[in-house]
């Protein structure tokens, strides 16, 4: 198997990618004693931005303090391995698209346009709102898809399997609600 050929495919095998994510998770557990996850990066970024104008508030807020305020034995940097992972996810997606010579994605996919119309503004607003809801839910659950689904699943955590079940049920219900076909009268 030539890796250069594998990297230039427009889509990669989900099995190979799944194994790669599993190996990455082992690496984070083994070398950094951390579970693979990404949603805490948003908390750190929001706290860092807020800290520019209201540092005392960030330090007195238990939620921000948990991730940003250093203790005597431990330093909590804003930009750490998870932040680098989030940045490199974007870089990796960009490189994969370029190497695979995949055309730029459509701003308004046909399925969306059929249901909500061709407006880019509506599409971007919907995507942003969906992202906000997903992140809010991830923080309420104490982890995101990667934190619960991958890292928690690897640890056989019951809470992670409950999260995955709820996530799939919520996704299916939302898709049925949003993209339901209009019945002809």
């Amino acid at each position: 198997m030539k890796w250069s050929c594998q990297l230039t495919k427009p889509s990669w095998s989900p099995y190979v990618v799944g194994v790669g994510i599993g190996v990455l998770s082992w690496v984070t557990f083994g070398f950094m004693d951390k579970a693979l996850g990404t949603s805490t990066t948003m908390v750190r970024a929001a706290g860092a931005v807020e800290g520019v104008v209201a540092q005392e508030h960030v330090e007195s807020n238990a939620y921000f303090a948990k991730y940003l305020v250093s203790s005597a034995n431990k330093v909590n940097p804003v930009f750490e391995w998870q932040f680098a992972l989030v940045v490199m996810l974007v870089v990796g997606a960009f490189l994969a698209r370029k190497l695979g010579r995949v055309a730029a994605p459509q701003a308004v996919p046909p399925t969306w346009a059929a249901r909500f119309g061709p407006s880019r503004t509506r599409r971007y607003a919907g995507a942003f709102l969906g992202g906000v809801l997903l992140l809010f839910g991830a923080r309420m659950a104490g982890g995101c898809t990667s934190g619960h689904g991958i890292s928690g699943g690897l640890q056989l955590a019951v809470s992670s399997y409950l999260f995955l079940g709820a996530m799939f049920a919520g996704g299916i219900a939302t898709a049925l609600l949003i993209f339901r076909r209009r019945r002809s009268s």
Side-chain angles (χ1 to χ4, degrees), residues 3-72:
W3 281 104
S4 61
C5 292
Q6 295 298 313
L7 294 175
T8 57
K9 287 185 172 181
S11 63
W12 297 356
S13 164
Y15 304 108
V16 171
V17 174
V19 168
I21 291 172
V23 169
L24 178 62
S25 189
W26 292 342
V27 169
T28 59
F29 276 123
F31 291 106
M32 295 183 284
D33 197 25
K34 301 281 185 185
L36 193 61
T38 57
S39 64
T40 305
T41 299
M42 185 62 185
V43 177
R44 290 179 188 271
V49 169
E50 187 173 331
V52 171
V53 293
Q55 183 66 31
E56 292 176 2
H57 180 264
V58 170
E59 291 174 358
S60 64
N61 182 303
Y63 187 66
F64 283 140
K66 177 180 175 184
Y67 299 107
L68 292 170
V69 177
S70 303
S71 64

Side-chain angles (χ1 to χ4, degrees), residues 153-164:
L154 285 173
Q155 298 175 76
L156 303 176
V158 174
S159 62
S160 294
Y161 285 102
L162 289 172
F163 170 83
L164 283 171

Side-chain angles (χ1 to χ4, degrees), residues 24-185:
L24 178 62
S25 189
W26 292 342
V27 169
T28 59
F29 276 123
F31 291 106
M32 295 183 284
D33 197 25
K34 301 281 185 185
L36 193 61
T38 57
S39 64
T40 305
T41 299
M42 185 62 185
V43 177
R44 290 179 188 271
V49 169
E50 187 173 331
V52 171
V53 293
Q55 183 66 31
E56 292 176 2
H57 180 264
V58 170
E59 291 174 358
S60 64
N61 182 303
Y63 187 66
F64 283 140
K66 177 180 175 184
Y67 299 107
L68 292 170
V69 177
S70 303
S71 64
N73 303 345
K74 184 179 173 188
V75 175
N76 293 332
V78 172
F79 302 101
E80 35 71 83
W81 72 272
Q82 194 180 92
F83 200 99
L85 174 65
V86 170
V87 170
M88 293 313 292
L89 286 171
V90 175
V91 171
F94 176 78
L95 288 175
R97 186 172 79 82
K98 287 294 183 188
L99 288 172
R101 298 190 175 127
V102 177
Q106 297 172 324
V108 182
T111 306
W112 177 275
R115 178 70 172 101
F116 298 106
S119 170
R120 282 183 179 207
T121 303
R122 184 177 292 165
R123 169 70 175 144
Y124 295 153
F128 182 78
L129 178 64
V132 168
L133 288 173
L134 182 67
L135 185 60
F136 182 76
R139 297 315 308 157
M140 291 289 289
C144 59
T145 309
S146 56
H148 272 299
I150 297 169
S151 297
L154 285 173
Q155 298 175 76
L156 303 176
V158 174
S159 62
S160 294
Y161 285 102
L162 289 172
F163 170 83
L164 283 171
M167 181 183 74
F168 277 107
I172 290 168
T174 302
L176 289 174
L177 181 69
I178 292 177
F179 293 110
R180 69 182 182 274
R181 293 182 184 261
R182 293 184 182 162
R183 295 181 182 191
S184 58
S185 52

